[in-house]
Structures are given as C-alpha cells and as structure tokens.
Amino acid sequence: YYVKNNHEAIIVPAIFDMVQIELENRNPGPNRRSGVSIFSSRIKCGECGSWYGSKVWHSTSKYRRTIYQCNRKYDKDNHCLTPHLDEETIKTLFISAVNKLLADRDEILGNFELIKATVFDTADLENEQAELQNEIEVIAGMIQQAIENAQFALDQEEYQKRYNGLVDRFDLAKARHTAVTNEITDKQTRLSTINAFLETLTKQDNLLTEFDEKLWCSLVDYATVYDKDNVRFIFKDGTVIQA
C-alpha cells in the first residue's frame, strides 16, 4: 500500500481501519436522504481531525455556492488553517486520486493476495471461540450446581469462596469470548468491504474523465485536507493517495 506524492511512491504500513458501514446518506441514487451531500462526513481536517461540513455562501444572491470547511474552523478555542473546498474542487481531486489508484491497480491486487491469507484468517480465532463457548457452558453448569448445593453447605465461607471463584472464571471467559467474537466479525467485515472495493476497481477499465458518484461511494473511505496542495484520499482497502 502506498502514499502517492508527486508521483513518488512511499511505502507505508497497510491501514486496515475498521471500515465503517455505509450510512444512508452515503449511498448513491434516490435512496439517499434529500438534502444530504455525498461529501458529508467524508472529508476530514488534517489539523484538528474534525469533519468538514457544508456551508452556503451568498445564499440570497446569484453567486450562491456550497463550500466545505472544518466544522471547528471558527471555534472560540480553535482556528484551523486548513482551506475550504468547493464541490468542483473535491470532484477534480477525486478524479486525480482515482486515476493514480488505477495506475497501481495490479500492484494493489497483488499485495492484497499476499496478505489476505494471514491478515484476515479467522480459523484460530474460531477455534478459540468454540473452546470458550464450551468453557462458559461448563462453568455455568458448575455455578448452577453450586447454587443448588448451597442449602446443604456446612461451611458457608468455603461455599462463598468457591461460588465467587466460579463467577470470576465465568466473567473472564465471557469477556474473552466477546472480544474474540468481535475480532472475527471485524476481520470478516473488513474482508468483505475490501473485496467489494477491489471488485469495483477491477471493473473500472478506463481512466476517469468526469466525476462518478457511485465510484466515490464505493471506493473512498474519507479524504484528509492538510492544505490546498495536500489532500489525501484514504480508500477502503487502506491505500492512501495524495491527489
């Protein structure tokens, strides 16, 4: 995976962030909520990390236009110097970034195949998940048995100690089971998202000459603005490209 900067490739660690499930307002077509831009929550300030929001300039004149700027740009305790972007600029930058992405398509596909079997393998996690589930069920049975035998326990202190120990074991096993399950789900979700990304990338035969809303929604995770000459697109496979 690469950061493309002035046509020079700098190798950076693969970025496999938790891929966000697409919100309704990010979906192309008529199902997107009226009045919500596809650029909402997709552009981030490189200075403070806040999202860019839309602002209407000259709303009552013929010069009316929509721009995007850091939502904290004019906060009392904050004054980000990152520039605003209008929609045409965003679209032009996207076209540039996607065309650079397409130029490296074969390498991106090859790199993914190299890491796919290790980064997204869940076999060991699934085995641990099954073992933990079995342990949870066994401990739950032991706790139930202890409760049923409590009325016959002569040494209540010893009983309470044993009961507390079983509950602690149950809680530890349950917490680990939840963590493992979440990790499995995370890997499967990321793999599904990246596969969809690569499928879209593979089907794109030609370089872009105009903005494509569907490609924006299917390829881009978000873009980060550092200054007017440094806008970086983070694609859904983790590739970072400076437009």
Side-chain angles (χ1 to χ4, degrees), residues 44-60:
K44 184 179 291 187
C45 175
E47 187 170 329
C48 75
S50 297
W51 292 109
Y52 269 41
S54 61
K55 304 290 185 294
V56 178
W57 284 4
H58 310 295
S59 60
T60 60

Side-chain angles (χ1 to χ4, degrees), residues 15-161:
I15 303 172
F16 286 109
D17 294 332
M18 287 283 289
V19 182
Q20 300 175 339
I21 297 175
E22 289 302 305
L23 299 175
E24 180 186 355
N25 65 341
R26 293 186 179 183
N27 290 334
N31 292 327
R32 192 173 71 244
R33 288 196 299 261
S34 176
V36 178
S37 169
I38 59 171
F39 304 122
S40 297
S41 299
R42 284 292 190 94
I43 303 172
K44 184 179 291 187
C45 175
E47 187 170 329
C48 75
S50 297
W51 292 109
Y52 269 41
S54 61
K55 304 290 185 294
V56 178
W57 284 4
H58 310 295
S59 60
T60 60
S61 78
K62 64 179 181 179
Y63 301 107
R64 175 191 174 96
R65 66 176 179 140
T66 301
I67 62 95
Y68 294 82
Q69 67 182 26
C70 176
N71 284 326
R72 295 189 60 207
K73 189 174 183 67
Y74 297 114
D75 282 2
K76 182 181 297 184
D77 58 346
N78 188 70
H79 186 76
C80 290
L81 299 178
T82 47
H84 69 267
L85 302 174
D86 59 34
E87 290 193 357
E88 287 307 310
T89 299
I90 297 170
K91 292 176 180 179
T92 298
L93 290 170
F94 170 73
I95 292 170
S96 173
V98 169
N99 285 338
K100 291 178 182 179
L101 185 74
L102 290 171
D104 287 332
R105 176 168 51 192
D106 291 343
E107 188 170 4
I108 291 171
L109 292 170
N111 286 342
F112 177 69
E113 287 303 317
L114 289 175
I115 67 170
K116 180 178 178 179
T118 54
V119 173
F120 297 103
D121 179 63
T122 60
D124 290 343
L125 288 170
E126 289 174 14
N127 288 335
E128 183 181 1
Q129 183 187 46
E131 292 172 358
L132 287 164
Q133 181 62 39
N134 182 65
E135 182 179 356
I136 288 170
E137 292 173 2
V138 169
I139 297 172
M142 295 171 68
I143 292 174
Q144 181 62 34
Q145 188 65 43
I147 293 172
E148 291 174 357
N149 293 338
Q151 57 184 318
F152 305 112
L154 298 178
D155 188 336
Q156 289 299 315
E157 184 177 349
E158 181 179 347
Y159 160 77
Q160 193 64 46
K161 182 178 180 181

Side-chain angles (χ1 to χ4, degrees), residues 149-208:
N149 293 338
Q151 57 184 318
F152 305 112
L154 298 178
D155 188 336
Q156 289 299 315
E157 184 177 349
E158 181 179 347
Y159 160 77
Q160 193 64 46
K161 182 178 180 181
R162 173 174 170 74
Y163 175 82
N164 291 342
L166 289 171
V167 170
D168 288 344
R169 283 179 59 192
F170 180 89
D171 288 343
L172 286 173
K174 183 65 175 175
R176 178 58 186 165
H177 184 275
T178 299
V180 169
T181 300
N182 289 341
E183 189 173 353
I184 291 171
T185 301
D186 174 42
K187 284 177 178 283
Q188 293 173 339
T189 300
R190 288 186 289 148
L191 178 59
S192 177
T193 300
I194 294 174
N195 278 331
F197 166 87
L198 294 177
E199 182 179 358
T200 301
L201 191 64
T202 301
K203 291 180 178 178
Q204 183 63 33
D205 295 326
N206 303 314
L207 295 178
L208 287 188

Side-chain angles (χ1 to χ4, degrees), residues 227-241:
D227 58 53
K228 65 178 182 179
D229 298 317
N230 188 359
V231 178
R232 299 188 180 189
F233 285 79
I234 293 79
F235 291 93
K236 291 186 177 181
D237 70 326
T239 299
V240 183
I241 291 181

